[in-house]
Amino acid sequence: MSPDPQALRARHGAVSLLAHPSPIERLTRLEAALGTGVRIYGKRDDVAGIGGGGNKLRKLEFLLGDAIARGCDTFVTTGGLQSNHARLSAAAAARMGLGCELVLADVVPRHDADYRGNGNLLLDAIFGATVHHVPGDTDPLAFAHIRAEALRAEGRKPYVVGAGGSSPVGALGYVACAWEILDQEAALGERFARIVVPNGSAGTHAGLAAGMAAAGADVTRVQSYAVLATPERAHAETLALAQATLAANALPGRVSASEVVIDGSQRGPGYGIPTEAMREAVELLARTEGLLLDPVYSGKAFAGLLAAIRGGAFQPGEAVLYVMTGGVPGLFAYRGAFNQETSARSLDIDGKSAAA
Ligand SMILES: *Cc1c(COP(=O)(O)O)cnc(C)c1O
């Protein structure tokens, strides 16, 4: 099988929600700030599409395609309150003319107005989704199936997807992305020593791993930082999903346990709980490149990449690729994690600094 991302999308009836390929940019001001001689690239999956952008759009291209092929009229999915996947599902369903119902679980211990009303939750409402809140200790997917029964009773045709859209269908989005990266490497004349992503529901890492395997390329170049599950559980989920993605879609190649490389050092106290390294990573990339990471996923994974670069994991002249997965609306639910005092200065009309 030739690793052609457009042919894969066409074969599976994927809809179009973002521009392909997403751009790859070299981050030279960040390189200079680190001063290690390592070449750092960012793949802009955060800006290439609708709804504020982000990695879930690649999965949703295949999931919405599948839903439409099955004649479904309502997209039902799950996540945490500040789920980027939920927000992009709402945007994608609107774009494709489907209804959208979101079952959002209260999994992060936050009770303030920012977390419970701003960021992704504000956008869910603007995109017109119906939001169901469930307590953190209930299984949101079980609730989604109950909700789907009720919709069927009303004559609707629901399509139910679990958190993160990380099914063997959704993961095809990152199989296509892996092939896109191989094409872009060839065009750039560059070879990335490592391709780094966050790992939440495992679909991004699993899809990239499956894509590399199907193309006969080195699977271990793809490495992720677990931000949700323990690294052991993330490893088991990623391996199982990579294998299921190859098998369910009749793709060649295989992924073995030793080829799935996951680092658990950046998760901190838990999912959705800020770390100091995340804050430093978000601010460093913002202040050197004008680019935004998010507090839950990409800020933590990028902190891990920074630690690896600073710790000498790469030779000068080696290149690394960071896949920017989006999630920027999450910043508005995490105001307290960032230091606003240092920038909150106002100037008098004569240019002298006045008290903030
Ligand atoms: C969901 C998400 C991830 C993680 O992707 P998975 O496929 O769930 O592992 C990374 N970054 C952002 C911004 C996300 O929303």
Side-chain angles (χ1 to χ4, degrees):
M1 163 154 339
S2 82
D4 177 347
Q6 291 297 357
L8 184 76
R9 276 190 275 271
R11 191 157 60 244
H12 289 272
V15 304
S16 184
L17 302 173
L18 69 141
H20 314 105
S22 64
I24 288 182
E25 297 169 1
R26 190 162 162 204
L27 308 178
T28 52
R29 293 228 342 121
L30 176 67
E31 289 175 14
L34 296 175
T36 59
V38 176
R39 302 151 69 80
I40 308 169
Y41 289 84
K43 183 161 174 64
R44 304 296 311 279
D45 280 14
D46 57 329
V47 292
I50 68 164
N55 66 334
K56 302 308 181 307
L57 288 178
R58 287 190 183 270
K59 305 180 198 177
L60 288 163
E61 288 193 323
F62 285 85
L63 292 166
L64 265 296
D66 190 39
I68 291 165
R70 292 169 189 274
C72 296
D73 58 19
T74 309
F75 197 81
V76 183
T77 194
T78 70
L81 291 188
Q82 285 293 337
S83 167
N84 297 303
H85 166 69
R87 178 245 314 168
L88 289 169
S89 293
R95 176 76 158 213
M96 301 313 301
L98 276 73
C100 184
E101 302 227 353
L102 305 172
V103 180
L104 304 184
D106 212 344
V107 287
V108 176
R110 288 273 305 276
H111 302 282
D112 53 291
D114 281 348
Y115 195 80
R116 307 187 82 83
N118 205 341
N120 283 300
L121 276 170
L122 170 64
L123 299 182
D124 295 342
I126 289 176
F127 288 126
T130 301
V131 175
H132 307 273
H133 287 236
V134 296
D137 57 0
T138 54
D139 175 2
L141 189 56
F143 189 97
H145 283 293
I146 293 169
R147 182 65 198 140
E149 268 317 309
L151 287 166
R152 268 184 220 103
E154 293 168 19
R156 308 291 293 269
K157 292 194 75 180
Y159 184 90
V160 180
V161 181
S166 290
S167 69
V169 174
L172 282 172
Y174 274 90
V175 171
C177 183
W179 298 352
E180 210 175 281
I181 291 169
L182 294 174
D183 286 346
Q184 287 176 302
E185 274 188 317
L188 286 166
E190 192 67 90
R191 186 180 189 282
F192 302 121
R194 197 176 290 180
I195 298 165
V196 176
V197 293
N199 194 320
S201 64
T204 302
H205 187 162
L208 288 172
M212 291 297 176
D218 178 6
V219 174
T220 63
R221 284 202 289 161
V222 181
Q223 299 191 12
S224 66
Y225 289 88
V227 301
L228 176 59
T230 62
E232 295 76 26
R233 223 187 90 201
H235 183 275
E237 288 174 2
T238 305
L239 176 63
L241 183 56
Q243 291 173 337
T245 301
L246 291 171
N249 299 295
L251 291 165
R254 51 193 302 275
V255 174
S256 63
S258 63
E259 290 175 307
V260 174
V261 186
I262 298 176
D263 183 308
S265 65
Q266 299 298 322
R267 193 167 65 118
Y271 175 72
I273 301 177
T275 62
E276 180 55 24
M278 176 283 289
R279 185 194 58 74
E280 194 258 341
V282 170
E283 291 180 354
L284 179 62
L285 191 64
R287 294 169 190 189
T288 54
E289 299 285 351
L291 295 176
L292 293 171
L293 298 164
D294 84 285
V296 177
Y297 299 92
S298 59
K300 287 184 176 179
F302 200 72
L305 176 60
L306 290 176
I309 292 171
R310 287 167 171 153
F314 306 100
Q315 300 297 314
E318 276 194 306
V320 296
L321 179 68
Y322 185 74
V323 180
M324 297 191 62
T325 49
V328 170
L331 287 169
F332 300 105
Y334 282 84
R335 209 154 45 106
F338 298 93
N339 188 353
Q340 291 176 290
E341 279 77 59
T342 54
S343 56
R345 297 264 188 282
S346 59
L347 288 177
D348 281 342
I349 195 73
D350 62 1
K352 289 197 305 269
S353 188

